């Protein structure tokens, strides 16, 4: 037997392949060694984000604030388009820099601090609500809102990329479950003790306190990231030309069939967000809901986020994320119909039951997170930023219609709610065309 043969007589792999295999094994062992600590730190970071988020819930608090300073349906309709487009464009521009950064946690930390700063500015501006005319505030708010969600998009891209680097695939659902449930409990406690009283303050003055707490929680969440143990990678050459980055997005969608299919599902599903600012409007205008009702809606929505995160995280780890996305989209297709039905059959003194709408709406952020986890399994770690930002771009497409939908809501909200329900239902049907990366992973393991 020669030096270049194994005991079975088969030739040995080339030295470069052996070195690469050893590096992969070492990286896997390093990830497993620090995984529990990193999982707990990332979960705690997410808990503080959730506490911040409950004080700026997109379905309740932000639309209510905009109604306080403006009021028109088309202005409310600007929220989803600014939200999603800002979240989608910024991650594409940041994806190359993040991919080539030796430490992904640094960008996550910096964006968390910037989110804190933007809401700190908004809280400062709200100190004068009701004390002097502020006709310019709606425009300033929308600008800050767009900047905030551009930062949020990069923040979420950084979090998902860091998760892909530090947490193994079959444990990412555990992170989603732990962070979702703990975050919901903490956020609900914060809303229960403070939110109703602050919302009841005259002339909207409580929004200064609400947004101030939001800023503080974002700041604390950034400090926690100092405890993440992240191996330093090699610094690459960032491909930062915007035109080339967006052409890469288009090329990926054109050439990668598996990405095409999840992108279509995501685009259709995200039409559900066109109605986000209008659920609270429906409850307030038809059922005369007040500050206490808004607090209950926020709490129940966050409770459902925690429960659904726990359930979907467990199922996703065990059976893969395709089946989870399918169930989530079919369930979300019912939400507009439930909201319409409840607004028609309930009397104002029975409006407590309208909270069922917000209990179901908690599934929306969980579904988005599930789609990101699904994409993480489609490609290798070095491609995660690009594929995640590509999915973000696709999610933004339907939101261009948000101001039009807001205008049509004032015309006939029944028709719009039913149409959106049908579009989301179609996204559920199309999940049957999606690939299951977990099956390919299991097959490769069995062949090995």
């Amino acid at each position: 037997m020669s030096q270049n043969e194994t005991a079975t007589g088969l030739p040995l792999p080339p030295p470069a392949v052996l070195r690469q295999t050893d590096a992969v094994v070492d990286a896997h062992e390093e990830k497993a060694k620090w995984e529990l600590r990193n999982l707990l730190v990332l979960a705690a970071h997410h808990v503080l984000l959730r506490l911040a988020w409950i004080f700026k819930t997109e379905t309740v608090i932000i639309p209510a604030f905009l109604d306080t300073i403006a009021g028109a349906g088309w202005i409310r309709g600007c929220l989803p388009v600014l939200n999603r487009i800002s979240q989608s464009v910024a991650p594409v521009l940041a994806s190359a820099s993040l991919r080539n950064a030796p430490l992904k946690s640094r960008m996550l930390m910096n964006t968390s601090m910037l989110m804190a700063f933007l809401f700190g500015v908004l809280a400062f501006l709200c100190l004068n609500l009701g004390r002097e005319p502020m006709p310019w505030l709606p425009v300033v708010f929308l600008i800050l809102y767009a900047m905030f969600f551009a930062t949020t998009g990069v923040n979420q891209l950084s979090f998902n990329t860091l998760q892909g680097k530090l947490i193994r695939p079959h444990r990412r659902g555990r992170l989603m479950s732990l962070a979702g449930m703990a975050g919901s409990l903490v956020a609900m406690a914060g809303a229960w003790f403070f939110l109703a009283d602050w919302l009841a303050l005259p002339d909207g003055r409580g929004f200064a306190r609400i947004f101030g707490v939001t800023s503080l929680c974002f700041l604390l969440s950034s400090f926690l990231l100092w405890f993440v143990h992240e191996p330093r990678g090699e610094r690459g050459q960032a491909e930062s030309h915007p035109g080339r980055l967006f052409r890469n997005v288009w090329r990926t969608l054109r050439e990668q069939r598996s990405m095409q299919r999840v992108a279509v599902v995501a685009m259709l599903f995200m039409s559900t967000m066109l109605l986000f600012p209008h659920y609270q409007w429906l409850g307030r205008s038809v059922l005369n809901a007040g500050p206490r009702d808004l607090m209950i809606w926020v709490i129940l929505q966050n409770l459902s986020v925690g429960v659904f995160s726990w359930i979907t995280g467990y199922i996703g780890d065990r059976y893969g994320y395709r089946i989870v996305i399918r169930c989530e989209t079919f369930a979300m297709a019912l939400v507009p119909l439930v909201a319409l039905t409840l607004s028609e059959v309930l009397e104002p003194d029975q409006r407590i039951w309208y909270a069922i709408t917000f209990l179901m709406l908690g599934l929306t952020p969980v579904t988005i997170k599930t789609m990101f986890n699904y994409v993480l399994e489609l490609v290798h770690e070095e491609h995660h930023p690009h594929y995640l930002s590509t999915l973000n771009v696709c999610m933004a497409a339907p939101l261009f219609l948000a101001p039009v939908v807001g205008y049509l809501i004032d015309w006939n909200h029944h028709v719009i709610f039913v149409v959106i329900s049908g579009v989301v239902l179609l996204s559920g049907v199309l999940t049957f065309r999606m690939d299951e990366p977990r099956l390919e992973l299991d097959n490769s393991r069995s062949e090995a």
Side-chain angles (χ1 to χ4, degrees), residues 162-237:
L162 185 63
Q163 175 190 209
K165 180 179 179 180
L166 302 181
I167 309 297
R168 288 172 290 176
H170 65 284
R171 289 178 177 262
R172 291 170 190 157
R174 187 174 304 180
L175 172 59
M176 186 169 72
S177 300
L178 178 61
M181 183 59 74
S184 290
L185 294 174
V186 173
M188 286 188 299
W192 176 263
F193 287 109
F194 301 109
L195 200 52
D197 291 339
W198 290 349
L199 286 171
L201 291 176
D203 300 320
R205 294 177 188 173
F207 285 110
R209 302 184 185 183
I210 291 171
F211 296 149
V213 170
T214 301
S215 175
L216 178 62
C217 292
F218 284 138
L219 186 63
L220 293 176
S221 73
S222 70
F223 292 158
L224 271 178
L225 296 170
W226 286 106
F227 298 99
V228 166
H229 182 273
E230 180 188 2
R232 178 178 288 272
E234 295 182 3
R235 181 180 295 277
Q237 182 64 39

Coordinates of all heavy atoms in Angstrom, one line a residue, residues 162-237:
L162 N -25.6 36.9 12.1 CA -24.8 36.4 13.3 C -25.4 35.1 13.8 O -24.6 34.2 14.2 CB -24.9 37.5 14.3 CG -24.1 37.3 15.6 CD1 -22.6 37.2 15.3 CD2 -24.4 38.4 16.6
Q163 N -26.7 35.0 13.8 CA -27.3 33.7 14.2 C -26.9 32.6 13.3 O -26.6 31.5 13.8 CB -28.9 33.9 14.1 CG -29.6 32.6 14.4 CD -31.1 32.7 14.0 OE1 -31.9 32.1 14.6 NE2 -31.4 33.6 13.0
G164 N -26.8 32.8 12.0 CA -26.3 31.8 11.1 C -24.9 31.4 11.3 O -24.5 30.3 11.1
K165 N -24.1 32.4 11.8 CA -22.7 32.1 12.1 C -22.5 31.4 13.4 O -21.6 30.5 13.5 CB -21.9 33.5 12.1 CG -20.4 33.3 12.4 CD -19.7 34.7 12.3 CE -18.2 34.6 12.6 NZ -17.6 35.9 12.6
L166 N -23.3 31.7 14.4 CA -23.0 31.2 15.8 C -23.9 30.1 16.2 O -23.5 29.3 17.1 CB -23.2 32.4 16.8 CG -22.3 33.6 16.6 CD1 -22.5 34.6 17.7 CD2 -20.8 33.2 16.5
I167 N -25.1 29.9 15.6 CA -26.1 28.9 16.0 C -26.3 27.9 14.9 O -26.5 28.2 13.8 CB -27.4 29.6 16.4 CG1 -27.2 30.7 17.4 CG2 -28.3 28.5 17.0 CD1 -26.6 30.3 18.7
R168 N -26.2 26.6 15.3 CA -26.4 25.6 14.3 C -27.8 25.5 13.8 O -28.7 25.9 14.6 CB -25.9 24.2 14.9 CG -24.4 24.1 15.0 CD -24.0 22.8 15.8 NE -24.4 22.9 17.2 CZ -24.3 21.9 18.1 NH1 -23.8 20.8 17.7 NH2 -24.7 22.1 19.3
P169 N -28.1 25.0 12.6 CA -29.5 25.0 12.0 C -30.5 24.4 12.9 O -31.6 25.0 13.0 CB -29.3 24.2 10.7 CG -27.9 24.4 10.3 CD -27.1 24.5 11.6
H170 N -30.3 23.3 13.5 CA -31.3 22.6 14.3 C -31.5 23.2 15.6 O -32.4 22.7 16.4 CB -31.0 21.1 14.4 CG -29.8 20.8 15.2 ND1 -28.5 21.0 14.7 CD2 -29.6 20.4 16.5 CE1 -27.6 20.7 15.7 NE2 -28.2 20.3 16.8
R171 N -30.8 24.3 16.0 CA -31.0 25.0 17.2 C -31.6 26.5 17.0 O -31.8 27.2 18.0 CB -29.7 25.1 18.0 CG -29.4 23.7 18.6 CD -28.0 23.8 19.4 NE -27.7 22.5 19.9 CZ -27.9 22.1 21.2 NH1 -28.5 23.0 22.0 NH2 -27.6 21.0 21.7
R172 N -31.7 26.9 15.8 CA -32.2 28.2 15.5 C -33.6 28.4 15.9 O -34.1 29.5 16.4 CB -32.0 28.6 14.1 CG -30.5 28.7 13.7 CD -30.3 28.9 12.2 NE -28.9 28.8 11.9 CZ -28.4 28.4 10.7 NH1 -29.2 28.1 9.7 NH2 -27.1 28.3 10.5
G173 N -34.4 27.4 15.8 CA -35.8 27.4 16.3 C -35.9 27.6 17.8 O -36.8 28.2 18.3
R174 N -34.9 26.9 18.5 CA -34.8 27.1 19.9 C -34.6 28.5 20.3 O -35.2 29.0 21.3 CB -33.7 26.2 20.5 CG -33.7 26.1 22.0 CD -32.7 25.0 22.4 NE -32.9 23.7 21.9 CZ -32.2 22.6 22.1 NH1 -31.2 22.7 22.9 NH2 -32.5 21.5 21.5
L175 N -33.7 29.2 19.6 CA -33.4 30.6 19.8 C -34.7 31.4 19.6 O -35.1 32.3 20.4 CB -32.3 31.1 18.9 CG -32.1 32.6 18.9 CD1 -31.7 33.1 20.3 CD2 -30.9 33.0 18.0
M176 N -35.4 31.1 18.5 CA -36.7 31.8 18.2 C -37.7 31.6 19.3 O -38.4 32.5 19.7 CB -37.2 31.4 16.9 CG -38.4 32.2 16.4 SD -38.8 31.9 14.6 CE -39.5 30.2 14.8
S177 N -37.8 30.4 19.8 CA -38.8 30.0 20.8 C -38.5 30.7 22.1 O -39.3 31.4 22.8 CB -38.8 28.5 21.1 OG -39.2 27.8 19.9
L178 N -37.2 30.6 22.6 CA -36.8 31.2 23.9 C -36.9 32.8 23.8 O -37.5 33.4 24.7 CB -35.3 30.8 24.2 CG -34.7 31.4 25.4 CD1 -35.5 30.9 26.7 CD2 -33.3 31.0 25.6
A179 N -36.4 33.4 22.8 CA -36.5 34.8 22.7 C -37.9 35.3 22.5 O -38.3 36.3 23.1 CB -35.7 35.3 21.5
G180 N -38.7 34.6 21.8 CA -40.1 35.0 21.6 C -41.0 34.9 22.9 O -41.7 35.8 23.2
M181 N -40.8 33.8 23.6 CA -41.7 33.6 24.8 C -41.2 34.6 25.9 O -42.0 35.3 26.5 CB -41.6 32.2 25.3 CG -42.4 31.9 26.5 SD -44.2 32.3 26.2 CE -44.7 30.9 25.2
A182 N -39.9 34.6 26.2 CA -39.4 35.5 27.2 C -39.7 37.0 26.8 O -40.0 37.8 27.7 CB -37.9 35.3 27.4
G183 N -39.5 37.3 25.6 CA -39.7 38.7 25.1 C -41.1 39.1 25.3 O -41.5 40.2 25.7
S184 N -42.1 38.2 25.0 CA -43.5 38.5 25.2 C -43.9 38.7 26.6 O -44.6 39.7 26.9 CB -44.3 37.3 24.6 OG -44.2 37.2 23.2
L185 N -43.3 37.9 27.5 CA -43.7 38.1 28.9 C -43.2 39.4 29.5 O -43.9 40.1 30.2 CB -43.1 36.9 29.7 CG -43.7 35.5 29.5 CD1 -42.9 34.4 30.2 CD2 -45.2 35.5 29.8
V186 N -41.9 39.7 29.1 CA -41.4 41.0 29.6 C -42.1 42.2 29.0 O -42.4 43.2 29.7 CB -39.9 41.1 29.3 CG1 -39.3 42.5 29.6 CG2 -39.1 40.0 30.1
A187 N -42.4 42.1 27.7 CA -43.1 43.2 27.0 C -44.5 43.4 27.5 O -44.9 44.5 27.7 CB -43.1 42.9 25.5
M188 N -45.2 42.3 27.8 CA -46.5 42.4 28.3 C -46.6 43.1 29.7 O -47.5 43.9 30.0 CB -47.2 41.0 28.3 CG -47.6 40.5 27.0 SD -48.6 39.0 27.1 CE -47.4 37.9 27.9
A189 N -45.6 42.7 30.5 CA -45.5 43.3 31.8 C -45.3 44.8 31.7 O -46.0 45.6 32.4 CB -44.4 42.7 32.6
G190 N -44.4 45.2 30.8 CA -44.2 46.7 30.6 C -45.4 47.4 30.1 O -45.7 48.5 30.6
A191 N -46.1 46.8 29.2 CA -47.3 47.4 28.6 C -48.4 47.5 29.7 O -49.1 48.5 29.8 CB -47.8 46.7 27.4
W192 N -48.6 46.5 30.5 CA -49.6 46.4 31.5 C -49.4 47.5 32.6 O -50.4 48.1 33.0 CB -49.6 45.0 32.2 CG -50.6 44.9 33.3 CD1 -50.4 45.0 34.6 CD2 -52.0 44.6 33.1 NE1 -51.6 44.9 35.3 CE2 -52.6 44.6 34.4 CE3 -52.9 44.4 32.0 CZ2 -53.9 44.4 34.6 CZ3 -54.2 44.2 32.2 CH2 -54.7 44.2 33.5
F193 N -48.2 47.7 33.0 CA -48.0 48.7 34.1 C -47.9 50.1 33.6 O -48.2 51.1 34.4 CB -46.7 48.3 34.8 CG -46.8 47.1 35.7 CD1 -46.2 45.9 35.3 CD2 -47.6 47.2 36.8 CE1 -46.3 44.8 36.2 CE2 -47.7 46.0 37.7 CZ -47.1 44.9 37.3
F194 N -47.6 50.4 32.3 CA -47.4 51.8 31.9 C -48.2 52.3 30.7 O -48.6 53.4 30.7 CB -45.9 51.9 31.6 CG -44.9 51.6 32.7 CD1 -44.1 50.5 32.6 CD2 -44.8 52.4 33.8 CE1 -43.3 50.2 33.7 CE2 -44.0 52.1 34.8 CZ -43.2 51.0 34.8
L195 N -48.5 51.4 29.8 CA -49.0 51.9 28.5 C -50.3 52.6 28.6 O -50.5 53.7 28.0 CB -49.0 50.7 27.5 CG -49.1 51.1 26.0 CD1 -47.9 52.1 25.7 CD2 -49.0 49.8 25.2
A196 N -51.3 52.0 29.3 CA -52.6 52.6 29.3 C -52.6 54.0 29.9 O -53.2 54.9 29.4 CB -53.6 51.7 30.1
D197 N -51.9 54.2 31.0 CA -51.9 55.5 31.7 C -51.2 56.5 30.8 O -51.6 57.7 30.7 CB -51.1 55.4 33.0 CG -51.9 54.6 34.0 OD1 -53.1 54.4 33.9 OD2 -51.2 54.1 35.0
W198 N -50.1 56.1 30.1 CA -49.4 57.1 29.2 C -50.3 57.4 28.0 O -50.3 58.6 27.6 CB -48.1 56.5 28.8 CG -47.1 56.4 29.9 CD1 -47.2 57.0 31.1 CD2 -45.9 55.7 29.9 NE1 -46.1 56.7 31.9 CE2 -45.2 55.9 31.2 CE3 -45.2 54.9 28.9 CZ2 -44.0 55.3 31.5 CZ3 -44.0 54.3 29.3 CH2 -43.4 54.6 30.5
L199 N -51.0 56.4 27.5 CA -51.9 56.8 26.3 C -53.0 57.7 26.7 O -53.6 58.4 25.9 CB -52.4 55.4 25.7 CG -51.4 54.6 24.9 CD1 -52.0 53.2 24.6 CD2 -51.0 55.3 23.6
A200 N -53.4 57.6 28.0 CA -54.6 58.4 28.4 C -54.2 59.9 28.7 O -55.1 60.7 29.0 CB -55.2 57.8 29.7
L201 N -52.9 60.2 28.7 CA -52.5 61.6 29.0 C -53.0 62.5 27.9 O -53.1 62.1 26.7 CB -51.0 61.7 29.1 CG -50.3 61.0 30.3 CD1 -48.8 61.1 30.2 CD2 -50.8 61.7 31.6
P202 N -53.5 63.7 28.3 CA -54.1 64.6 27.3 C -53.1 65.1 26.2 O -51.9 65.2 26.4 CB -54.6 65.8 28.1 CG -53.7 65.8 29.3 CD -53.4 64.3 29.6
D203 N -53.7 65.3 25.0 CA -53.0 65.9 23.9 C -51.8 65.0 23.4 O -50.9 65.5 22.8 CB -52.4 67.3 24.2 CG -53.5 68.3 24.6 OD1 -54.6 68.2 23.9 OD2 -53.4 69.1 25.5
G204 N -51.9 63.7 23.7 CA -50.8 62.8 23.3 C -49.5 63.0 23.9 O -48.5 62.5 23.4
R205 N -49.5 63.6 25.1 CA -48.2 63.9 25.8 C -47.5 62.6 26.3 O -46.3 62.6 26.5 CB -48.4 64.8 27.0 CG -48.9 66.2 26.5 CD -49.1 67.1 27.7 NE -49.7 68.4 27.3 CZ -50.2 69.3 28.2 NH1 -50.2 69.1 29.5 NH2 -50.8 70.4 27.7
G206 N -48.3 61.6 26.4 CA -47.7 60.3 26.9 C -46.7 59.7 25.9 O -45.9 58.8 26.2
F207 N -46.8 60.1 24.6 CA -45.9 59.5 23.6 C -44.5 59.9 23.9 O -43.6 59.1 23.4 CB -46.4 60.0 22.2 CG -47.6 59.3 21.7 CD1 -48.8 60.0 21.6 CD2 -47.6 58.0 21.4 CE1 -50.0 59.4 21.1 CE2 -48.8 57.4 20.9 CZ -50.0 58.1 20.8
A208 N -44.2 61.0 24.6 CA -42.8 61.3 24.9 C -42.3 60.2 25.8 O -41.1 59.8 25.7 CB -42.7 62.7 25.6
R209 N -43.1 59.8 26.8 CA -42.6 58.7 27.7 C -42.5 57.4 27.0 O -41.5 56.6 27.2 CB -43.6 58.6 28.9 CG -43.7 59.9 29.7 CD -44.6 59.6 30.9 NE -44.9 60.9 31.6 CZ -45.6 61.0 32.7 NH1 -46.1 59.9 33.3 NH2 -45.8 62.1 33.3
I210 N -43.5 57.1 26.1 CA -43.5 55.8 25.4 C -42.3 55.7 24.5 O -41.6 54.7 24.6 CB -44.8 55.7 24.5 CG1 -46.0 55.6 25.5 CG2 -44.7 54.6 23.6 CD1 -47.3 55.7 24.7
F211 N -42.0 56.7 23.8 CA -40.8 56.7 22.8 C -39.5 56.8 23.6 O -38.5 56.3 23.1 CB -41.0 57.7 21.8 CG -42.2 57.6 20.9 CD1 -42.8 58.7 20.3 CD2 -42.7 56.3 20.6 CE1 -43.9 58.5 19.5 CE2 -43.8 56.1 19.8 CZ -44.4 57.2 19.3
G212 N -39.5 57.4 24.7 CA -38.3 57.5 25.5 C -37.9 56.1 26.1 O -36.7 55.8 26.1
V213 N -38.9 55.4 26.6 CA -38.6 54.0 27.0 C -38.1 53.1 25.9 O -37.2 52.3 26.0 CB -39.8 53.4 27.7 CG1 -39.7 51.9 28.0 CG2 -40.1 54.1 29.0
T214 N -38.7 53.3 24.7 CA -38.3 52.6 23.5 C -36.8 52.8 23.2 O -36.1 51.9 23.0 CB -39.2 53.0 22.3 OG1 -40.5 52.8 22.6 CG2 -38.7 52.3 21.0
S215 N -36.4 54.1 23.3 CA -35.0 54.4 23.0 C -34.1 53.8 24.1 O -33.0 53.2 23.7 CB -34.9 56.0 23.1 OG -33.5 56.3 23.0
L216 N -34.5 53.8 25.3 CA -33.7 53.2 26.4 C -33.5 51.7 26.2 O -32.4 51.2 26.3 CB -34.3 53.5 27.7 CG -33.6 52.9 28.9 CD1 -32.2 53.5 29.1 CD2 -34.4 53.2 30.2
C217 N -34.6 51.0 25.8 CA -34.5 49.6 25.6 C -33.6 49.2 24.4 O -32.8 48.2 24.5 CB -35.9 49.0 25.4 SG -36.9 49.1 26.9
F218 N -33.6 50.0 23.4 CA -32.7 49.7 22.2 C -31.3 49.9 22.7 O -30.4 49.1 22.3 CB -33.1 50.7 21.1 CG -34.3 50.3 20.3 CD1 -35.2 51.3 19.9 CD2 -34.5 49.0 19.9 CE1 -36.3 50.9 19.1 CE2 -35.6 48.6 19.2 CZ -36.5 49.6 18.8
L219 N -31.0 50.9 23.5 CA -29.7 51.2 23.9 C -29.1 50.0 24.8 O -28.0 49.6 24.6 CB -29.6 52.5 24.7 CG -28.3 53.0 25.2 CD1 -27.4 53.3 24.0 CD2 -28.4 54.2 26.1
L220 N -30.0 49.6 25.7 CA -29.5 48.4 26.6 C -29.3 47.2 25.8 O -28.4 46.4 26.0 CB -30.6 48.2 27.6 CG -30.8 49.3 28.7 CD1 -31.9 49.0 29.6 CD2 -29.5 49.5 29.5
S221 N -30.1 47.0 24.7 CA -30.0 45.8 23.9 C -28.6 45.8 23.2 O -28.0 44.7 23.0 CB -31.1 45.7 22.9 OG -31.0 46.6 21.8
S222 N -28.1 47.0 22.8 CA -26.8 47.1 22.2 C -25.7 46.7 23.1 O -24.7 46.1 22.7 CB -26.6 48.5 21.6 OG -26.5 49.4 22.6
F223 N -25.8 47.1 24.4 CA -24.8 46.9 25.4 C -24.6 45.4 25.6 O -23.5 44.9 25.9 CB -25.1 47.6 26.7 CG -25.0 49.1 26.6 CD1 -25.7 49.9 27.6 CD2 -24.2 49.7 25.6 CE1 -25.6 51.2 27.5 CE2 -24.2 51.1 25.6 CZ -24.8 51.8 26.5
L224 N -25.7 44.6 25.5 CA -25.7 43.2 25.8 C -24.7 42.4 24.8 O -24.2 41.4 25.1 CB -27.1 42.6 25.7 CG -27.9 42.5 27.0 CD1 -29.3 41.9 26.7 CD2 -27.2 41.7 28.1
L225 N -24.6 43.0 23.6 CA -23.8 42.3 22.6 C -22.3 42.2 22.9 O -21.6 41.5 22.2 CB -24.1 43.0 21.2 CG -25.5 42.9 20.8 CD1 -25.8 43.8 19.6 CD2 -25.9 41.5 20.4
W226 N -21.9 43.0 23.9 CA -20.5 42.8 24.3 C -20.2 41.4 24.8 O -19.0 41.0 24.9 CB -20.1 43.9 25.4 CG -20.0 45.3 24.8 CD1 -20.8 46.3 25.0 CD2 -18.9 45.8 24.0 NE1 -20.4 47.4 24.4 CE2 -19.2 47.1 23.8 CE3 -17.7 45.2 23.5 CZ2 -18.3 47.9 23.0 CZ3 -16.9 46.0 22.8 CH2 -17.2 47.4 22.5
F227 N -21.2 40.7 25.2 CA -21.0 39.4 25.8 C -21.1 38.2 24.8 O -21.0 37.1 25.2 CB -22.1 39.1 26.9 CG -22.0 40.1 28.1 CD1 -22.8 41.2 28.1 CD2 -21.0 39.9 29.1 CE1 -22.7 42.1 29.2 CE2 -20.9 40.8 30.1 CZ -21.8 41.9 30.2
V228 N -21.3 38.6 23.5 CA -21.3 37.5 22.5 C -19.9 37.1 22.2 O -19.0 37.9 22.1 CB -21.9 38.1 21.2 CG1 -21.7 37.2 20.0 CG2 -23.4 38.3 21.3
H229 N -19.7 35.8 22.1 CA -18.4 35.2 21.7 C -18.4 34.9 20.3 O -19.1 33.9 19.8 CB -18.1 34.0 22.5 CG -16.7 33.4 22.2 ND1 -16.5 32.5 21.1 CD2 -15.5 33.6 22.7 CE1 -15.2 32.2 21.1 NE2 -14.6 32.8 22.0
E230 N -17.8 35.7 19.5 CA -17.8 35.6 18.0 C -16.4 35.4 17.5 O -15.6 36.3 17.7 CB -18.5 36.8 17.3 CG -18.5 36.6 15.8 CD -19.0 37.9 15.1 OE1 -19.3 38.9 15.8 OE2 -19.1 37.9 13.9
P231 N -16.0 34.3 16.9 CA -14.7 34.1 16.3 C -14.5 35.2 15.2 O -15.4 35.4 14.4 CB -14.7 32.7 15.7 CG -15.9 32.0 16.4 CD -16.9 33.1 16.7
R232 N -13.3 35.8 15.2 CA -13.0 36.8 14.2 C -12.7 36.1 12.8 O -11.9 35.2 12.8 CB -11.8 37.6 14.6 CG -11.4 38.7 13.6 CD -10.2 39.5 14.1 NE -10.6 40.4 15.2 CZ -11.1 41.6 14.9 NH1 -11.2 42.1 13.7 NH2 -11.5 42.4 15.9
G233 N -13.4 36.5 11.8 CA -13.2 36.0 10.5 C -12.2 36.9 9.7 O -11.7 37.9 10.3
E234 N -11.9 36.5 8.5 CA -11.1 37.3 7.7 C -11.8 38.4 7.0 O -13.0 38.3 6.6 CB -10.4 36.4 6.6 CG -9.5 35.3 7.1 CD -8.9 34.5 6.0 OE1 -9.1 34.8 4.8 OE2 -8.2 33.5 6.3
R235 N -11.2 39.6 6.9 CA -11.8 40.7 6.3 C -11.7 40.6 4.8 O -10.6 40.4 4.3 CB -11.1 42.0 6.7 CG -11.8 43.3 6.1 CD -11.1 44.5 6.6 NE -11.3 44.7 8.0 CZ -12.3 45.3 8.6 NH1 -13.3 45.7 7.8 NH2 -12.4 45.4 9.9
G236 N -12.8 40.7 4.1 CA -12.8 40.6 2.6 C -12.9 42.0 2.0 O -13.0 43.0 2.7
Q237 N -13.0 42.0 0.7 CA -13.1 43.2 0.0 C -14.6 43.5 -0.3 O -15.2 42.7 -1.0 CB -12.3 43.1 -1.4 CG -12.4 44.4 -2.2 CD -11.7 45.6 -1.5 OE1 -10.7 45.4 -0.8 NE2 -12.3 46.8 -1.6

